[in-house]
Amino acid sequence: MNLLHPHTGLYTDLYELTMAQGHFFAGRHETRAVFDYFFRKNPFEGGFVVFAGLADLLEALQDFRYSAEDIDYLAAQGFKPEFLDWLRHFRFRGDVWAAREGEVVFPYAPIVRVEGTIVETQLVETLLLNLLNFESLIATKAARMRLVAGDRIIAEFGLRRAQGYGGMQATRAAIVGGANNTSNVLAGLHYGLPVTGTMAHAWIQSYEDELTAFRKFAEQYPERCILLVDTYDTLRSGIPNAITVARELEQRGYRLFGIRLDSGDLAWLSKRARQMLDEAGLTYVKILASNQIDEYVIRSLREQQAPIDGYGVGTRLVTGHSSPALDGVYKLS
Amino acid sequence: MNLLHPHTGLYTDLYELTMAQGHFFAGRHETRAVFDYFFRKNPFEGGFVVFAGLADLLEALQDFRYSAEDIDYLAAQGFKPEFLDWLRHFRFRGDVWAAREGEVVFPYAPIVRVEGTIVETQLVETLLLNLLNFESLIATKAARMRLVAGDRIIAEFGLRRAQGYGGMQATRAAIVGGANNTSNVLAGLHYGLPVTGTMAHAWIQSYEDELTAFRKFAEQYPERCILLVDTYDTLRSGIPNAITVARELEQRGYRLFGIRLDSGDLAWLSKRARQMLDEAGLTYVKILASNQIDEYVIRSLREQQAPIDGYGVGTRLVTGHSSPALDGVYKLS
């Protein structure tokens, strides 16, 4: 399953094809070439990059070809018949030498080397840079969060703020870098990743009151039930109602899995929530937190001893936020 | 052509499906609901947003369904047979009311309204936010560049630094916002956009010397030929060699279209380049510039009267750079 299929060969800058045709008519398209992929600057003012994106790249390279529709399109763009006849049968047959995904890598060291004909090594440049730059960026961001989160859960919830269909690669890279699971169902199917989720404010608002909304959810989802407690008033309504439902679940032989805080002062609210839950004998109920979380927020929460068991991380993970691109390049060696 | 096909319905956060099943078994899945899409804060510390993404959204909504593979996957995730039998036949049949793409919109005003059953309006939330947030962000960035670039060419060259396959939506949105054309060939095919390109440093380096590389390129591409002049030494090698090739093209009855500067002080280099070209009688040769260009760089170059005819814009356009996400939300009305 490759989202670009059957147009993978067109996922490129036009000049790669222009140069390919140039080499073809100069009779040097079989000339051997070697390109190296490396980057120059660590993102996030950090000290390392976690390499990612290789599996997606290799899958796309195996599918890197031109469909009849692609050839027609290129003909309409002015590419010449003799070149297009050759391109119609083009396959990437080069060799790829690479670091392993998840490895820590540093500026200026070659991470991937591609050997082959000058045309095949050049044509794949844009695809290679697109996937490796982005997935390495996000894996690095996730690793930075993992370093400060210790063994707490990190759930990737960012699809709604991800950069278009790049949300697919963002999810994959987040897991490579250290997130535990994701809300992105298609990424779950595509990459075989664990998916997770809670409930939205809209569920609560679709009922006449919060307690009814919680009860209706817990009735159907008694296992791994997580209640979102900030729709109306976290301390005066959300948590008391969650405690009521937790006790009702106990009577049915279940344990409420957790509550989720999604706004406000997460350090203060999590401490009060822990206290209220513990006083109700619900020491097993986990506290999850979300809302503009990144490695700096996690570190601050941990320094404040906020009793948070898991973080739902969105925008700041899946976009890279402060550094939205890795500056990796692909240079003729 | 929808890259998510036939899995569009899975491009969602898990909780949308969890809540859908919840509503289904509560017998309220046909209840009517209305959701509004709006955002809270203008990106880029700016004063407006250019709305974009609607056409991609509508295309995806028409394809928003669950394949047999999707249903099997959801069954393995614990969704119940009765719900899945219903989901198998699910189609989005709601109504979408929206601003036009390219319209300028402001915080807190509803931009899109979705009316339908609570399940269909809720299930599409993640997809809607993903596409509208990102495309509106990038269209806004492009419009900011257009405002300072006047009638100069803006070419979108960002695919290699785009966030994974979000590069497709980035290109489309850049054009909605005011870019003239793109290097992204698949976006050219998919959306019917004008594609453009020059040459890479690797073309130059694949020849023994720069002049030969320029000549070989101009031989094959005498029309709209753009020579990249900064591989070795812009003023002492690149531009003199480009002038030589321009004169050779004149003898063949062609005119060199332009040169491209890709490094260094673009204001200074463009002035010297213009002077050298004009002194050689090549007043018609255009000067294009690239390298970390955004609206601030364009404004600065124009304030310095840099004689640049077109800008190749990459990373800072396609990622949003300083504001990599629009904070749009989708709320039950």
Side-chain angles (χ1 to χ4, degrees):
Chain A
M1 176 171 160
N2 167 9
L3 294 188
L4 302 177
H5 182 82
H7 303 292
T8 308
L10 288 192
Y11 195 69
T12 181
D13 293 310
L14 181 66
Y15 77 177
E16 312 286 13
L17 286 157
T18 307
M19 292 188 288
Q21 179 173 266
H23 289 309
F24 177 81
F25 284 113
R28 56 208 298 272
H29 51 295
E30 299 290 347
T31 305
R32 305 294 292 177
V34 177
F35 279 82
D36 285 327
Y37 169 71
F38 61 93
F39 66 93
R40 291 172 172 140
K41 188 164 169 290
N42 286 314
F44 314 118
E45 299 179 354
F48 65 90
V49 159
V50 173
F51 174 58
L54 184 64
D56 274 341
L57 173 64
L58 295 178
E59 187 185 13
L61 287 179
Q62 290 186 309
D63 194 47
F64 198 93
R65 58 189 68 176
Y66 296 87
S67 66
E69 187 185 2
D70 298 342
I71 297 292
D72 289 347
Y73 177 74
L74 293 174
Q77 299 301 312
F79 285 89
K80 295 179 183 158
E82 195 181 342
F83 170 66
L84 293 176
D85 280 344
W86 177 84
L87 195 67
R88 197 187 301 274
H89 303 289
F90 175 82
R91 298 288 183 276
F92 177 82
R93 294 195 176 86
D95 293 321
V96 178
W97 303 83
R100 285 193 184 86
E101 289 200 73
E103 272 193 85
V104 172
V105 293
F106 300 99
Y108 290 101
I111 304 165
V112 177
R113 167 162 283 197
V114 181
E115 298 183 359
T117 67
I118 188 149
V119 166
E120 69 191 349
T121 53
Q122 181 81 66
L123 271 180
V124 303
E125 176 182 34
T126 311
L127 173 74
L128 178 148
L129 289 172
N130 175 267
L131 289 172
L132 301 187
N133 280 337
F134 181 54
E135 291 199 35
S136 297
L137 179 82
I138 301 307
T140 305
K141 188 73 172 173
R144 290 166 58 85
M145 295 187 188
R146 172 52 64 206
L147 282 173
V148 293
D151 62 358
R152 303 300 198 278
I153 298 161
I154 297 176
E156 183 275 299
F157 282 180
L159 188 57
R160 65 191 52 201
R161 300 282 172 78
Q163 297 208 338
Y165 294 168
M168 293 297 290
Q169 288 84 40
T171 294
R172 180 179 184 281
I175 304 274
V176 170
N180 295 84
N181 47 39
T182 178
S183 67
N184 180 343
V185 186
L186 185 52
L189 169 66
H190 190 149
Y191 297 116
L193 303 175
V195 292
T196 188
T198 61
M199 58 167 54
H201 295 114
W203 174 273
I204 314 277
Q205 292 171 292
S206 78
Y207 282 90
E208 54 273 33
D209 66 90
E210 189 180 53
L211 183 58
T212 305
F214 282 1
R215 279 182 171 139
K216 292 290 181 183
F217 198 80
E219 268 174 29
Q220 292 194 40
Y221 299 106
E223 299 185 65
R224 290 195 70 86
C225 177
I226 299 170
L227 300 172
L228 176 61
V229 295
D230 75 331
T231 304
Y232 301 113
D233 186 317
T234 301
L235 297 178
R236 280 184 284 191
S237 169
I239 295 173
N241 284 331
I243 288 171
T244 300
V245 170
R247 288 181 170 143
E248 292 169 0
L249 278 170
E250 283 187 350
Q251 287 166 7
R252 295 166 57 200
Y254 293 103
R255 289 183 150 198
L256 178 65
F257 186 82
I259 62 168
R260 176 161 72 102
L261 304 167
D262 189 42
S263 56
D265 179 337
L266 297 175
W268 161 250
L269 289 172
S270 63
K271 287 177 189 175
R272 288 288 295 128
R274 185 74 273 156
Q275 192 178 12
M276 292 165 77
L277 290 165
D278 289 354
E279 284 170 8
L282 300 167
T283 54
Y284 58 82
V285 175
K286 292 187 193 303
I287 298 175
L288 308 174
S290 50
N291 192 25
Q292 301 299 317
I293 297 217
D294 63 14
E295 64 270 45
Y296 302 102
V297 173
I298 294 173
R299 186 173 60 188
S300 167
L301 288 168
R302 298 207 68 186
E303 283 171 358
Q304 296 174 75
Q305 272 104 46
I308 294 171
D309 302 291
Y311 303 93
V313 185
T315 314
R316 296 190 181 190
L317 172 54
V318 300
T319 66
H321 195 57
S322 59
S323 298
L326 182 68
D327 73 356
V329 294
Y330 180 78
K331 292 292 180 190
L332 190 61
S333 175
Chain B
M1 176 170 159
N2 167 8
L3 294 189
L4 302 177
H5 182 82
H7 303 292
T8 308
L10 288 192
Y11 195 68
T12 181
D13 293 310
L14 180 66
Y15 77 177
E16 313 286 14
L17 285 157
T18 307
M19 292 188 288
Q21 178 173 265
H23 289 309
F24 177 81
F25 283 112
R28 57 209 298 272
H29 51 295
E30 299 289 347
T31 305
R32 305 295 292 177
V34 177
F35 279 82
D36 286 328
Y37 169 71
F38 61 92
F39 67 93
R40 292 172 172 139
K41 189 166 170 287
N42 286 315
F44 314 118
E45 299 178 355
F48 65 90
V49 159
V50 173
F51 174 58
L54 184 64
D56 274 341
L57 173 64
L58 295 178
E59 187 185 12
L61 287 180
Q62 290 185 310
D63 194 47
F64 199 93
R65 59 189 68 176
Y66 296 87
S67 66
E69 187 185 1
D70 298 342
I71 297 291
D72 289 347
Y73 177 74
L74 293 174
Q77 299 301 313
F79 286 89
K80 294 178 183 158
E82 195 181 341
F83 170 66
L84 293 177
D85 280 345
W86 177 85
L87 195 67
R88 196 187 303 274
H89 303 289
F90 175 83
R91 298 287 182 276
F92 177 82
R93 294 195 176 86
D95 293 322
V96 178
W97 303 84
R100 286 193 184 86
E101 290 200 72
E103 272 193 86
V104 172
V105 292
F106 300 98
Y108 290 100
I111 304 165
V112 177
R113 168 163 283 197
V114 181
E115 298 183 358
T117 67
I118 189 151
V119 166
E120 70 192 348
T121 53
Q122 180 82 66
L123 271 179
V124 303
E125 175 182 33
T126 310
L127 173 73
L128 179 148
L129 289 172
N130 176 268
L131 289 172
L132 301 186
N133 279 337
F134 181 54
E135 291 199 35
S136 298
L137 179 82
I138 301 307
T140 305
K141 188 73 172 174
R144 290 166 58 85
M145 294 187 188
R146 172 53 64 206
L147 282 173
V148 293
D151 62 358
R152 304 299 198 278
I153 298 162
I154 298 176
E156 183 275 298
F157 282 180
L159 188 57
R160 64 191 53 202
R161 299 283 172 77
Q163 296 209 337
Y165 294 168
M168 293 297 291
Q169 289 85 40
T171 294
R172 180 179 185 281
I175 304 275
V176 170
N180 295 84
N181 47 38
T182 178
S183 67
N184 180 343
V185 186
L186 185 52
L189 169 66
H190 189 149
Y191 297 116
L193 304 175
V195 292
T196 188
T198 61
M199 59 167 53
H201 295 115
W203 174 273
I204 315 278
Q205 293 172 292
S206 78
Y207 283 90
E208 54 274 33
D209 66 90
E210 189 180 52
L211 183 58
T212 305
F214 283 0
R215 280 182 170 140
K216 291 289 180 183
F217 198 80
E219 268 174 29
Q220 292 195 39
Y221 299 106
E223 299 185 65
R224 290 195 69 87
C225 177
I226 299 170
L227 300 172
L228 176 62
V229 295
D230 75 331
T231 305
Y232 301 114
D233 186 317
T234 300
L235 297 178
R236 280 183 285 191
S237 168
I239 296 172
N241 284 331
I243 288 170
T244 300
V245 171
R247 288 181 170 143
E248 292 169 0
L249 278 170
E250 283 187 350
Q251 288 166 7
R252 294 166 58 200
Y254 293 102
R255 289 183 150 197
L256 178 65
F257 186 82
I259 62 168
R260 177 161 72 101
L261 305 167
D262 189 42
S263 55
D265 179 338
L266 297 175
W268 161 250
L269 289 173
S270 63
K271 287 177 190 176
R272 289 288 296 128
R274 185 74 274 156
Q275 191 177 13
M276 292 165 76
L277 290 165
D278 289 353
E279 284 171 9
L282 300 167
T283 54
Y284 58 82
V285 175
K286 293 188 192 303
I287 298 175
L288 309 174
S290 50
N291 192 25
Q292 300 300 316
I293 297 218
D294 63 15
E295 64 271 45
Y296 302 103
V297 173
I298 294 173
R299 186 172 61 186
S300 167
L301 289 169
R302 298 206 68 186
E303 283 171 358
Q304 296 174 73
Q305 273 105 46
I308 293 171
D309 302 291
Y311 302 94
V313 185
T315 314
R316 295 188 182 191
L317 172 54
V318 300
T319 66
H321 195 58
S322 60
S323 297
L326 181 68
D327 72 356
V329 294
Y330 180 77
K331 292 293 180 189
L332 190 61
S333 175

